[in-house]
């Protein structure tokens, strides 16, 4: 188990630039040295500053935004005492981590909701290193939209060769000019691509400038923690290499051009920073136009890295599916396009999206709908993911990591992921071994799509 002293010592051993520690910029949720936990994490209301001169009455972890970075090590037990100090139930889902179903954080499906004022101990051994994130799976549109999102970094079992690291949370807030929240959704937008926020931030700041050391091999971890937006990541004026997608290392790092990231997705880049006085700008590509996300200003350092190709990260121990004997399961994601149904009181209850012609039904302690598929434990599967809609959908399966095999719309070099961004009218084949027993949520990570039907679960037994 990583104790607080070892954790803080490893953090202080990272880059020192001009007498200051260059990483991290986030608060750390590490517990006291005498506590039997690695972290104590509290969800609570908090006032934060997002827009100039405004106050946002947010929901935060540990009283602020960005949330604390939770950091563990591959193959080592991680114990997180979670305290719910909201005025409503919640849970924590550890997005992308292959952990036991009891720790997955889906209300009723994997654990009872954590009531207001209650605590819950999350304890698991992460088998994979990489960039992951955490968020509730209760009242998701509001709880995520108001700020309950954070990064969980699982370091490799053995140290990897980087001089510096940046963790960047991309989120577009639904706030007005005074900082108050605007509407998170509308039926019109939910039936399309979703309702975008109005204030784009990186780590809670609009177009921030951060210092980085010169001539340093830098690992940039980007996380799309937004409810709705797809970001198209580019660094047009400087060389960058893709080293991991959604937490999983790629076989061979390759130069970044433009990489789309739907909600829930992550991207690890390797960059050798230029000389002091220069800058590295990460941008969001929209068509032919590029818009600034963050500006890294390069400061003098003792590093002497040279630009060029970078080494692969160690592969994670993901079981290899037996494609020759794999069973194929088809999933069609469609737009229902019907008149919004109403509940018994006549209130609108929108359901716009379906998986295999079935919209997700509400789930309670006394009622759990049937799964969209039942899989045999230990067997290999190929999923045909077919998007029959004019909108993109980041499709995420809890508890597993897929290998992406092919697409009918683009050339694919097989890679691992837990979230596949399906373009309109695209069909993608993914494969995996159903080696983790349980009832695993399976949904689009555009929260409005998930809340209006595009969700189900897979049962593995």
């Amino acid at each position: 188990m990583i104790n607080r002293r070892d954790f803080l010592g490893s953090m202080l051993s990272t880059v020192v630039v001009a007498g200051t520690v260059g990483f991290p910029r986030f608060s750390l949720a590490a517990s006291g040295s005498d506590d039997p936990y690695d972290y104590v994490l509290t969800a609570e209301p908090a006032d934060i500053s997002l827009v100039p001169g405004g106050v946002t009455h947010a929901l935060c972890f540990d009283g602020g935004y960005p949330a604390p970075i939770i950091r563990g090590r591959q193959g080592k037990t991680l114990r997180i005492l979670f305290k719910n100090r909201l005025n409503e139930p919640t849970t924590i889902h550890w997005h992308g981590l292959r952990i036991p179903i009891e720790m997955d954080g889906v209300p009723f499906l994997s654990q009872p909701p954590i009531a207001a004022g209650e605590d819950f101990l999350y304890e698991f051994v992460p088998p994979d290193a990489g960039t992951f994130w955490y968020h509730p799976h209760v009242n998701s549109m509001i709880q995520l939209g108001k700020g309950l999102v954070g990064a969980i970094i699982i370091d490799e079992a053995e140290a990897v060769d980087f001089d510096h690291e940046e963790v960047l949370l991309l989120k577009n807030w639904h706030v007005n000019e005074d900082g108050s929240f605007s509407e998170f959704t509308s039926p019109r937008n939910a039936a399309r691509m979703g309702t975008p926020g109005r204030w784009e931030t990186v780590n809670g700041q609009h177009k921030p400038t951060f210092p980085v050391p010169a001539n340093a091999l830098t690992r940039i971890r980007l996380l799309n923690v937004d409810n709705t937006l797809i970001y198209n990541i580019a660094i047009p004026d400087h060389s960058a290499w893709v080293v991991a997608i959604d937490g999983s290392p790629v076989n061979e790092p390759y130069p970044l051009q433009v990489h789309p990231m739907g909600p829930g997705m992550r991207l690890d880049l390797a960059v050798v920073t230029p000389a002091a006085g220069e800058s590295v700008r990460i941008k969001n590509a929209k068509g032919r136009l590029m818009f600034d996300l963050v500006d890294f200003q390069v400061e003098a350092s003792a590093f002497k890295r040279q630009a060029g190709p970078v080494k692969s990260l160690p592969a994670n121990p993901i079981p290899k599916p037996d494609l020759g004997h794999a069973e194929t399961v088809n999933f069609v994601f469609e737009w229902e396009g019907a008149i919004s149904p109403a509940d018994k009181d006549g209130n609108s209850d929108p359901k716009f999206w379906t998986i295999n012609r079935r919209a997700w039904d509400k789930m309670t302690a006394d009622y759990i709908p049937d799964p969209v598929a039942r899989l045999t434990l230990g067997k290999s599967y190929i999923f045909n993911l077919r998007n029959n809609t004019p909108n993109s959908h980041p499709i995420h399966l809890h508890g597993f990591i897929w290998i992406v095999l092919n697409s009918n719309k683009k050339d694919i070099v097989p890679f691992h992921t837990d979230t596949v961004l399906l373009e309109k009218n695209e069909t993608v084949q993914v494969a995996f071994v159903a080696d983790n027993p349980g009832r695993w949520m399976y949904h689009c990570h555009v929260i409005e799509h998930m809340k209006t039907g595009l969700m189900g679960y897979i049962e593995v037994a």
Side-chain angles (χ1 to χ4, degrees):
M1 186 166 68
I2 304 169
N3 62 41
R4 182 173 182 268
R5 179 180 299 172
D6 291 343
F7 173 76
L8 293 178
S10 69
M11 290 299 94
L12 293 175
S13 68
T14 43
V15 174
V16 176
V17 181
T20 62
V21 178
F23 174 82
R25 295 192 187 87
F26 295 84
S27 64
L28 303 176
S31 66
S33 57
D34 296 330
D35 293 336
Y37 317 113
D38 298 296
Y39 293 94
V40 176
L41 186 69
T42 303
E44 57 194 337
D47 289 345
I48 61 175
S49 177
L50 292 172
V51 299
V55 175
T56 299
H57 304 301
L59 302 179
C60 297
F61 292 111
D62 287 13
Y65 187 90
I69 293 177
I70 291 177
R71 199 145 198 145
R73 188 165 295 279
Q74 184 180 23
K76 301 294 184 180
T77 300
L78 191 58
R79 290 168 56 87
I80 303 160
L81 179 64
F82 173 66
K83 298 184 175 184
N84 179 13
R85 299 301 179 261
L86 307 174
N87 60 3
E88 63 184 16
T90 192
T91 60
I92 301 294
H93 167 59
W94 311 96
H95 181 116
L97 289 177
R98 296 187 297 137
I99 55 180
I101 187 64
E102 295 82 7
M103 298 290 109
D104 193 53
V106 176
F108 309 119
L109 203 61
S110 61
Q111 70 172 104
I114 304 165
E118 290 188 350
D119 302 343
F120 184 86
L121 177 62
Y122 287 99
E123 181 175 3
F124 49 83
V125 178
D128 306 315
T131 303
F132 308 97
W133 67 297
Y134 61 95
H135 63 81
H137 242 291
V138 174
N139 195 13
S140 302
M141 196 177 305
I142 302 301
Q143 292 193 8
L144 273 71
K146 287 191 171 183
L148 287 174
V149 293
I152 175 168
I153 306 300
I154 306 300
D155 289 312
E156 289 78 5
E158 303 295 333
V160 293
D161 185 26
F162 286 98
D163 304 316
H164 183 70
E165 181 175 275
E166 294 287 340
V167 180
L168 305 177
L169 274 65
L170 310 180
K171 181 172 173 58
N172 205 18
W173 295 77
H174 294 74
V175 292
N176 300 307
E177 292 183 359
D178 63 355
S180 62
F181 281 108
S182 57
E183 291 295 326
F184 287 93
T185 185
S186 71
R188 177 181 177 86
N189 289 327
R192 292 169 173 79
M193 197 52 233
T195 305
R198 299 172 57 188
W199 189 247
E200 191 170 71
T201 66
V202 178
N203 295 352
Q205 301 180 47
H206 182 62
K207 296 183 180 179
T209 298
F210 296 140
V212 293
N215 308 120
L217 180 57
T218 298
R219 184 173 187 167
I220 301 175
R221 301 179 186 260
L222 295 120
L223 303 93
N224 184 351
V225 298
D226 196 70
N227 281 16
T228 305
L229 286 189
I230 295 172
Y231 291 87
N232 295 294
I233 301 301
I235 305 179
D237 301 320
H238 195 79
S239 296
W241 299 80
V242 175
V243 294
I245 296 173
D246 295 334
S248 293
V250 298
N251 290 332
E252 293 289 339
Y254 58 88
L256 172 70
Q257 295 179 342
V258 175
H259 186 95
M261 293 176 63
M265 300 175 75
R266 293 89 63 214
L267 179 68
D268 283 31
L269 302 175
V271 174
V272 176
T273 54
E278 298 188 36
S279 64
V280 177
R281 291 183 175 88
I282 300 179
K283 296 180 180 285
N284 184 19
K286 299 179 182 180
R288 296 183 179 180
L289 300 178
M290 298 233 180
F291 298 87
D292 289 344
L293 287 173
V294 60
D295 184 359
F296 290 119
Q297 291 295 317
V298 183
E299 299 183 350
S301 80
F303 296 114
K304 297 180 180 179
R305 296 281 188 163
Q306 300 293 317
V310 298
K311 296 179 182 178
S312 301
L313 294 171
N316 284 325
I318 301 168
K320 185 178 180 179
D322 181 357
L323 298 181
H325 297 88
E327 180 180 338
T328 298
V329 184
N330 295 313
F331 294 99
V332 180
F333 307 99
E334 292 183 289
W335 182 61
E336 190 171 57
I339 297 173
S340 295
D343 62 20
K344 60 183 177 60
D345 299 317
N347 299 313
S348 177
D349 184 21
K351 289 185 174 67
F352 301 119
W353 306 96
T354 64
I355 300 176
N356 290 351
R357 299 188 177 185
R358 174 181 158 194
W360 174 248
D361 200 0
K362 289 181 173 63
M363 183 168 57
T364 67
D366 299 320
Y367 171 70
I368 295 177
D370 290 335
V372 294
R374 289 185 169 91
L375 309 184
T376 300
L377 183 65
K379 189 172 180 178
S380 294
Y381 288 89
I382 295 173
F383 281 8
N384 280 328
L385 311 177
R386 182 179 175 184
N387 179 11
N388 276 1
T389 82
N391 304 104
S392 295
H393 299 286
I395 303 298
H396 172 56
L397 175 62
H398 293 203
F400 298 92
I401 294 177
W402 289 318
I403 181 169
V404 180
L405 301 175
N406 55 63
S407 163
N408 68 331
K409 298 197 70 171
K410 50 184 176 280
D411 294 332
I412 295 290
V413 175
F415 66 95
H416 287 104
T417 184
D418 54 67
T419 308
V420 173
L421 183 59
L422 293 179
E423 298 179 3
K424 64 179 183 179
N425 301 319
E426 182 179 20
T427 299
V428 171
Q429 280 196 324
V430 300
F432 69 108
V433 179
D435 63 340
N436 200 355
R439 298 180 297 192
W440 300 101
M441 191 57 71
Y442 178 47
H443 62 93
C444 176
H445 227 287
V446 174
I447 304 301
E448 286 163 277
H449 292 176
M450 179 180 80
K451 289 294 187 180
T452 56
L454 223 171
M455 182 162 67
Y457 71 93
I458 303 290
E459 186 172 44
V460 178

